[in-house]
């Protein structure tokens, strides 16, 4: 073979490779352009519906017409939500579809209070009693929504997409459907969550189907599997019109969780690189919404002294956690209020203090899964697990000491000097200091995770055994009982999905005693009086952090004041609509005052579900399954 022939073959090969690469890029570009085109078209349709609503509120439209147009607005929005919320989370949750409560945004309006606005506020408002005042409120909400949509469109479109981000936004969209859609969180007035979830699912399916173009042969079977699951989900949502009757457990196990993992496997097989657009707690490598690693606590502890997943600091933190010499009296340790044998609580209405005759001001919540939060303590006064430590040390009723005193004590102990050197050598001039002590304790608390309960094993398909009454209870918890509209899966705490960027508090109207005939509001102002200027807002009066209900069967008594001794009492309180539902005037109560009308059997079923969330076997010698009373045989 002569040189000319070899050169021709090389040139042909290069041309073939380059052409092939161009075809691949062209197909990828084509996919993304098609998705972007449909998205933009749907966004302009949404804008049109918003404009129609705004115009309608300026006329003498009937309430029926307003409800119909708000519904059209919301369904049009659901076609764009999975992408819009992924790329514009802050703007979306503040102005387009945020919760219908006042808020302060770290992104907009500085420290000014932003009053309820957007689609959720509209959904709630048009189902309020018809009055001139409410009509004016609806008109103002519609006008604000129009202005906000017009504003964001100027900078948001045209949108530049990446294949990885489209897949990731779809997977986050599935989490949103499960946690905010079928629970009714997103539709506080209409309870139209099933139809809206259907539209969301369909819009994500349409976007996904464009990946059929230029698909890697290895990914074809996964593509078809995902397509079938989308269709199955559509059928399930179409077949049930009654919000209370929808089988959320079946939908989770047969559609959402399988879809969540199959989309990831399709992404890998189709050589779509994992490159998230934004920083948040959701771990896209997780294969199940209830995987132990679905959320990453590192997101909440990014700015710590040393990463909290260090084994040496965790072990050191455990030692400090159990050491009474950290307190001024030498008799009190972290374990005093957070005993592993009772799910890291103390079993008392209000926590003990260093004075036997005096109790603390609030109940001691469990610290299991405490790391999945952006705020700490029941009044949310601390922003990190590390800063939380100082509040305990300084408190006259708790450790009543200072870091200076503790450092001197620890520095006299040869074992502690060695352990601190092993963990923190070369991080600072002195190994034992305020930051290292706080970091070690935070590392240990952050390591206390509880995601291997009977419920978790069942939804992860590790077992087929699960009580029927607990299944019914899960469906009630996620639906009619509205529990999941505050206690969000998978941690079942107040950290809001689908990106889990911030933690919520709620005004429940908790009373001084459980007296439904002559109730009196508890005097603790909670978050309003936590000492933070940003939280001294009227709508935070009597507001307390939404804690996880995982292991709740083991952590009685309940509420910030330890008012309720049983879960039956807690659910009875919610069943009555909280303080306002019992007739108290509660300013800015976030819990709906409407009675839930749960039957005795339904309450028992919800409790049966809660019992299956117990998992403390790694932290106590007692068998947590026996503690919870769950029979899996």
């Amino acid at each position: 073979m002569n040189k000319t022939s070899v050169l021709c073959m090389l040139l042909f090969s290069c041309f073939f490779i380059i052409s092939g690469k161009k075809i691949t890029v062209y197909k990828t570009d084509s996919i993304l352009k098609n998705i972007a085109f449909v998205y933009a078209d749907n966004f302009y349709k949404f804008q049109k519906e918003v404009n129609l609503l705004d115009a309608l509120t300026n006329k003498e439209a009937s309430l029926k017409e307003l409800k119909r147009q708000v519904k059209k607005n919301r369904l049009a929005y659901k076609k764009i939500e999975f992408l819009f919320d992924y790329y514009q989370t802050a703007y979306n949750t503040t102005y387009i579809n945020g919760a219908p409560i006042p808020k302060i945004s770290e992104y907009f309006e500085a420290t000014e209070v932003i009053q309820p606005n957007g689609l959720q506020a509209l959904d709630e408002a048009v189902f309020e009693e018809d009055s001139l005042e409410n009509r004016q409120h609806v008109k103002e909400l519609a006008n604000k929504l129009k202005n906000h949509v017009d504003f964001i469109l100027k900078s948001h479109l045209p949108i530049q997409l990446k294949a990885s981000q489209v897949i990731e936004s779809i997977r986050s969209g599935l989490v949103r459907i499960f946690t905010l859609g079928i629970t009714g969180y997103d539709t506080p007035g209409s309870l139209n969550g099933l139809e809206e979830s259907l539209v969301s699912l369909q819009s994500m399916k349409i976007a996904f189907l464009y990946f059929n173009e230029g698909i890697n042969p290895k990914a074809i079977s996964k593509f078809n599997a995902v397509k079938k699951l989308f269709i199955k989900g559509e059928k399930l949502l179409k077949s049930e019109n009654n919000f209370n009757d929808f089988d959320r457990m079946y939908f989770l196990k047969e559609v959402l969780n399988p879809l969540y993992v199959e989309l990831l496997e399709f992404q890998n097989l189709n050589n779509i690189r994992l490159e998230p657009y934004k920083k948040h707690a959701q771990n896209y490598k997780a294969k199940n919404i209830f995987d132990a690693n679905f959320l990453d606590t590192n997101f909440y502890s990014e700015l710590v002294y040393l990463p909290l997943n260090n084994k040496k600091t965790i072990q050191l933190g455990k030692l400090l956690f159990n050491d009474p010499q950290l307190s001024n009296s030498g008799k009190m340790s972290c374990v005093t209020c957070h005993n592993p044998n009772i799910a890291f609580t103390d079993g008392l209405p209000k926590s003990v203090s260093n004075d036997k005759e005096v109790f603390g001001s609030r109940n001691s919540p469990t610290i299991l899964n405490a790391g999945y939060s952006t705020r700490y303590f029941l009044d949310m006064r601390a922003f990190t697990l590390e800063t939380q430590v100082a509040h305990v040390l300084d408190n006259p009723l708790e450790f009543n000491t200072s870091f200076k005193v503790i450092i001197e004590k620890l520095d006299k102990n040869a074992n502690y000097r060695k352990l601190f050197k092993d963990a923190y050598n070369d991080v600072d001039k002195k190994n034992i200091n305020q930051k290292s002590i706080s970091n070690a304790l935070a590392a240990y608390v952050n390591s206390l995770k509880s995601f291997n309960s009977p419920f978790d094993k069942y939804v992860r398909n590790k077992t087929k055994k699960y009580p029927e009454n607990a299944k019914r209870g899960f469906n009630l918890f996620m639906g009619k009982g509205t529990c999941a509209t505050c206690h969000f899966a998978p941690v079942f705490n107040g950290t809001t999905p689908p990106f889990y960027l911030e933690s919520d508090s709620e005004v429940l109207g908790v009373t001084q005693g459980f007296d439904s005939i002559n109730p009196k509001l508890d005097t603790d102002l909670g978050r309003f009086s936590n000492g933070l200027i940003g939280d001294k807002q009227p709508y935070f009066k009597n507001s307390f952090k939404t804690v996880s209900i995982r292991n709740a069967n083991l952590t009685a008594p309940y509420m910030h004041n330890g008012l309720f001794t049983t879960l039956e009492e807690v659910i009875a309180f919610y069943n009555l609509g909280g303080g306002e539902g019992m007739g108290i005037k509660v300013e800015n109560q976030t819990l709906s005052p409407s009675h839930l009308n749960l039957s005795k059997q339904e309450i028992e079923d919800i409790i049966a579900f809660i019992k299956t969330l117990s998992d403390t076997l790694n932290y106590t010698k007692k068998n947590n399954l026996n503690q919870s009373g769950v029979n899996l045989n």
Side-chain angles (χ1 to χ4, degrees):
M1 183 180 293
N2 59 34
K3 292 182 180 179
T4 305
S5 299
V6 172
L7 182 60
C8 287
M9 288 185 68
L10 287 172
L11 288 171
F12 178 78
S13 298
C14 290
F15 175 79
F16 179 80
I17 292 169
I18 292 170
S19 298
K21 187 175 181 181
K22 282 184 177 179
I23 290 172
T24 302
V25 171
Y26 168 75
K27 287 184 176 178
T28 302
D29 285 348
S30 176
I31 292 167
L32 298 178
K33 284 178 180 177
N34 285 330
I35 295 172
F37 176 81
V38 172
Y39 174 73
D41 185 52
N42 283 331
F43 212 123
Y44 286 120
K45 288 177 180 176
F46 169 56
Q47 182 188 37
K48 181 180 178 182
E49 295 295 344
V50 171
N51 289 340
L52 287 172
L53 175 64
D54 181 56
L56 199 61
T57 59
N58 289 311
K59 301 177 182 179
E60 293 296 323
S62 68
L63 187 60
K64 186 177 180 180
E65 289 176 298
L66 289 173
K67 287 181 179 178
R68 185 186 303 120
Q69 188 56 41
V70 168
K71 180 179 179 179
K72 287 183 178 180
N73 274 215
R74 291 193 56 82
L75 291 177
Y77 167 75
K78 288 296 170 180
K79 293 182 179 181
I80 63 171
E81 183 180 34
F82 76 101
L83 280 171
F84 181 64
D85 193 30
Y86 181 82
Y87 286 102
Q88 298 286 344
T89 306
Y91 195 85
N92 178 48
T93 56
T94 303
Y95 295 120
I96 305 299
N97 195 39
I101 56 175
K103 69 180 296 183
I104 293 178
S105 171
E106 62 182 287
Y107 303 99
F108 308 105
E109 310 294 336
T111 58
E112 295 296 317
V113 176
I114 301 172
Q115 293 301 321
N117 67 96
L119 292 166
Q120 282 192 49
L122 276 163
D123 186 85
E124 187 174 67
V126 294
F127 283 88
E128 295 287 341
E129 184 178 348
D130 195 11
S131 65
L132 289 175
E133 184 182 5
N134 193 49
R135 286 295 183 103
Q136 182 61 31
H137 179 50
V138 171
K139 181 178 179 179
E140 290 171 359
L141 288 173
N143 185 251
K144 285 181 181 179
L145 180 62
K146 178 186 183 306
N147 292 337
H148 291 144
V149 171
D150 291 346
F151 175 82
I152 195 65
L153 267 175
K154 294 175 183 177
S155 59
H156 183 56
L157 295 180
I159 189 170
Q160 299 298 315
L161 302 173
K162 284 189 176 182
S164 61
Q165 293 163 10
V166 172
I167 298 294
E168 288 154 11
S169 66
I170 293 174
R171 295 182 81 211
S172 293
L174 296 175
V175 176
R176 184 184 295 104
I177 285 175
F178 176 64
T179 56
L180 306 180
I182 61 175
T183 62
Y185 173 91
D186 213 19
T187 49
S190 66
L191 290 181
N192 195 37
L194 297 185
E195 184 179 2
E196 291 193 4
S197 295
L198 171 62
V199 172
S200 294
L201 196 70
Q202 289 172 329
S203 67
M204 291 187 281
K205 183 190 78 171
I206 290 169
F208 173 76
L209 291 180
Y210 281 110
F211 284 98
N212 190 41
E213 186 178 351
I215 192 171
N216 187 317
K218 294 180 180 179
I220 292 175
S221 63
K222 284 296 174 189
F223 177 88
N224 292 329
V226 171
K227 181 180 177 181
K228 288 179 181 178
L229 284 167
F230 269 121
I231 293 170
K232 185 175 183 178
E234 287 176 314
K235 288 180 179 178
L236 287 173
L237 288 167
K238 285 178 181 177
S239 65
E240 184 57 76
N241 295 319
N242 190 308
F243 178 83
N244 291 341
D245 292 340
F246 186 66
D247 192 339
R248 289 157 175 85
M249 178 67 85
Y250 184 82
F251 189 64
L252 170 67
K253 283 179 62 68
E254 299 299 323
V255 176
L256 287 182
N257 267 334
L259 254 179
Y260 195 77
V261 64
E262 295 283 27
L263 280 163
L264 175 64
E265 293 179 357
F266 169 80
Q267 181 174 350
N268 292 332
L269 289 171
N270 208 37
N271 299 322
I272 300 173
R273 188 171 57 180
L274 192 71
E275 45 180 352
Y277 167 74
K278 60 196 296 176
K279 292 182 69 174
H280 55 79
Q282 191 184 145
N283 173 21
Y284 284 122
K285 293 181 180 179
K287 297 183 178 181
N288 186 300
I289 293 172
F290 286 95
D291 272 354
N293 68 339
F294 173 75
L295 294 179
D296 185 3
T297 55
N298 289 333
F299 170 79
Y300 303 107
S301 58
E302 184 182 16
L303 302 177
V304 292
Y305 186 61
L306 200 70
L308 300 186
N309 57 359
N310 185 302
K311 291 182 179 179
K312 290 182 179 180
T313 59
I314 292 171
Q315 287 302 313
L316 174 56
K318 183 177 182 180
L319 192 63
L320 292 169
F321 191 86
N322 287 273
D323 194 342
Q325 74 170 312
L326 267 63
S327 65
N328 184 44
S329 66
K331 297 178 181 179
M332 197 174 194
S333 70
C334 301
V335 174
T336 304
C337 295
H338 301 288
N339 187 339
N341 289 324
I342 42 179
F344 291 90
T345 61
D346 60 12
L348 299 171
K350 293 183 179 179
S351 59
V352 296
S353 73
N354 51 43
D355 184 341
K356 290 183 179 180
E357 298 181 1
V358 179
F359 285 91
S361 58
R362 294 177 184 140
N363 179 260
S364 291
T366 179
I367 54 171
L368 286 169
N369 304 315
Y372 299 95
S373 182
T374 58
R375 301 283 287 270
Y376 303 90
F377 291 110
L378 289 173
D379 62 10
M380 305 183 80
R381 65 186 183 271
F383 287 85
T384 69
L385 284 172
E386 286 182 329
T387 57
Q388 186 175 227
V389 175
H391 291 267
V392 178
L393 300 188
D394 295 340
N395 193 321
L397 290 176
E398 295 184 67
F399 283 15
N400 191 30
T401 186
S402 67
F403 278 105
K404 181 181 179 181
V405 173
I406 291 175
I407 291 168
E408 289 174 356
K409 288 181 180 180
L410 298 179
D411 209 26
K412 292 176 182 178
N413 186 305
N415 186 44
Y416 270 127
R417 287 201 303 272
K418 180 182 183 303
L419 291 172
F420 272 93
K421 183 178 180 181
D422 288 345
Y424 297 100
N425 197 30
D426 298 328
V427 178
D428 216 327
K429 292 180 180 180
K430 291 185 178 181
N431 297 321
I432 304 178
N433 58 57
Q434 178 175 338
K435 290 181 179 179
S436 61
I437 293 169
S438 299
N439 180 261
L441 283 165
Y444 175 62
V445 172
N446 189 65
S447 73
L448 300 176
K449 298 173 182 177
S450 173
F451 292 99
N452 201 32
S453 67
F455 168 81
D456 295 307
K457 291 174 183 176
Y458 180 67
V459 294
R460 291 200 292 255
N461 298 316
K462 300 298 182 182
T463 180
K464 293 183 179 180
K465 295 179 180 178
Y466 192 69
E468 287 300 318
N469 59 347
K471 289 181 186 177
R472 296 194 302 268
F474 172 80
N475 283 329
L476 287 162
F477 186 95
M478 299 293 290
K480 179 183 177 181
T482 69
C483 316
T485 60
C486 293
H487 297 276
F488 303 111
V491 185
F492 295 111
N493 67 357
T495 305
T496 52
F499 303 114
Y500 303 89
L501 297 173
E502 57 185 346
S503 301
D504 278 347
S505 62
E506 301 288 343
V507 180
L508 305 176
V510 176
T511 54
Q512 294 180 32
F514 195 18
D515 181 357
S516 60
I517 305 300
N518 186 31
K520 293 182 180 179
L521 186 66
D522 189 85
T523 57
D524 191 335
L525 294 178
R527 190 171 177 179
F528 178 81
S529 59
N530 66 10
L532 300 174
I533 296 175
D535 284 354
K536 201 169 185 63
Q537 307 295 340
Y539 62 91
F540 282 144
K541 284 183 178 179
N542 306 106
S543 186
F544 293 90
K545 182 178 179 179
T546 304
V547 298
S548 173
I549 53 97
R550 284 182 174 271
N551 301 294
N553 187 50
L554 312 175
T555 61
Y558 308 99
M559 300 300 182
H560 69 272
N561 58 0
L563 172 63
F564 304 121
T565 58
T566 67
L567 288 171
E568 285 83 357
E569 290 178 347
V570 174
I571 299 177
F573 172 78
Y574 284 115
N575 204 20
L576 292 170
E580 192 176 346
M582 291 191 292
I584 304 176
K585 182 175 176 56
V586 183
E587 189 177 358
N588 297 307
Q589 180 169 306
T590 53
L591 174 70
S592 171
S594 300
H595 290 203
L596 296 173
N597 298 315
L598 294 170
S599 68
K600 181 179 178 181
Q601 181 61 58
E602 288 174 327
I603 291 174
E604 290 175 358
D605 288 344
I606 292 173
I607 292 172
F609 159 64
I610 292 173
K611 286 181 177 181
T612 68
L613 290 174
S614 294
D615 166 36
T616 60
L617 198 56
N618 288 335
Y619 310 109
T620 176
K621 294 179 181 179
K622 296 179 182 179
N623 188 322
N624 63 298
L625 298 191
N626 290 340
Q627 283 180 312
S628 67
V630 178
N631 183 4
L632 298 177
N633 295 321

